[in-house]
Amino acid sequence: MTYYSSQQEMDAAIAVRPQAKKRLTNKQIAFISVFVAISVTVNAVAARAMGNKLSFAYTIDFMAGYFFGGIAGLLVGGIGDLLGCLLAGYAPNPFILLSSCLLGFIPGMVKKLKVSLPASIVISYALTLTVCTAFINTYGLWLMYGGGRTFFAYMAVRLTAQAPVIIANIALTFFIMPLFRKVLKAEIFN
């Protein structure tokens, strides 16, 4: 019989490990890849319109972050923007790329607050509107197209133009999230 001088030695001898990190399943990775493909398509179409065309990138990135976590949402938003710009023939703007990453990351972090779905949607969009659209995106575009206007004057014009896009994305998210929540939870989380 073997005797151990401490609990640590005994734990080491029987290989007690801390709980392993949760990993994504193959099915979840496949779904994330589909979200990336949709995000690339949405961003490629939106890039041609210079931000004045209705884009559903917010909704796609929100769903990726909400269902698969902040890192997956960050990847969907970032890869979607990067490849979307390249496919549309534009060089990626690093500020808009950062903002796109945060569009998916923020909902993943908000979900950890354990609030209801409607509260998650509202909090996520409030944060992404403030951090991403109003400041990071606007700053990146102001550097390129500011045309002698102050940052805040450019922001006022841009937010006025972006309001219908944001409202459409919020409405779409409220409409489709309950359906996607049921379908995706049944399909990938069981």
Side-chain angles (χ1 to χ4, degrees):
M1 179 175 247
T2 306
Y3 292 98
Y4 299 99
S5 62
S6 71
Q7 180 67 37
Q8 290 174 335
E9 285 181 45
M10 186 167 47
D11 289 346
I14 58 173
V16 172
R17 295 183 296 158
Q19 186 176 359
K21 290 184 177 182
K22 184 180 172 188
R23 297 178 188 243
L24 295 172
T25 66
N26 291 340
K27 202 178 262 193
Q28 290 170 327
I29 292 169
F31 274 100
I32 292 168
S33 300
V34 170
F35 277 105
V36 168
I38 294 168
S39 184
V40 167
T41 304
V42 166
N43 280 301
V45 171
R48 282 191 207 113
M50 299 299 290
N52 292 327
K53 188 173 182 181
L54 185 62
S55 169
F56 294 106
Y58 288 90
T59 302
I60 302 303
D61 297 345
F62 174 90
M63 291 189 342
Y66 183 84
F67 288 117
F68 302 106
I71 300 301
L74 181 139
L75 290 172
V76 169
I79 294 169
D81 181 66
L82 182 66
L83 294 179
C85 285
L86 295 175
L87 286 173
Y90 295 101
N93 180 320
F95 291 101
I96 295 174
L97 179 62
L98 170 64
S99 176
S100 295
C101 290
L102 291 175
L103 287 178
F105 182 75
I106 290 171
M109 296 299 101
V110 169
K111 184 179 179 186
K112 290 185 176 196
L113 297 175
K114 306 280 187 210
V115 295
S116 67
L117 177 60
S120 272
I121 294 170
V122 169
I123 293 168
S124 294
Y125 273 102
L127 288 171
T128 57
L129 175 61
T130 304
V131 173
C132 302
T133 304
F135 286 99
I136 299 173
N137 270 357
T138 301
Y139 183 72
L141 292 171
W142 175 71
L143 290 175
M144 293 171 45
Y145 307 114
R149 289 179 278 186
T150 67
F151 172 73
F152 290 104
Y154 189 82
M155 178 193 290
V157 171
R158 183 161 189 281
L159 290 180
T160 302
Q162 283 294 111
V165 174
I166 299 294
I167 291 167
N169 275 276
I170 292 170
L172 180 63
T173 303
F174 268 105
F175 181 73
I176 66 171
M177 277 301 289
L179 172 67
F180 270 79
R181 191 175 185 191
K182 286 180 185 175
V183 170
L184 288 177
K185 281 199 183 276
E187 183 65 28
I188 62 175
F189 294 111
N190 290 331

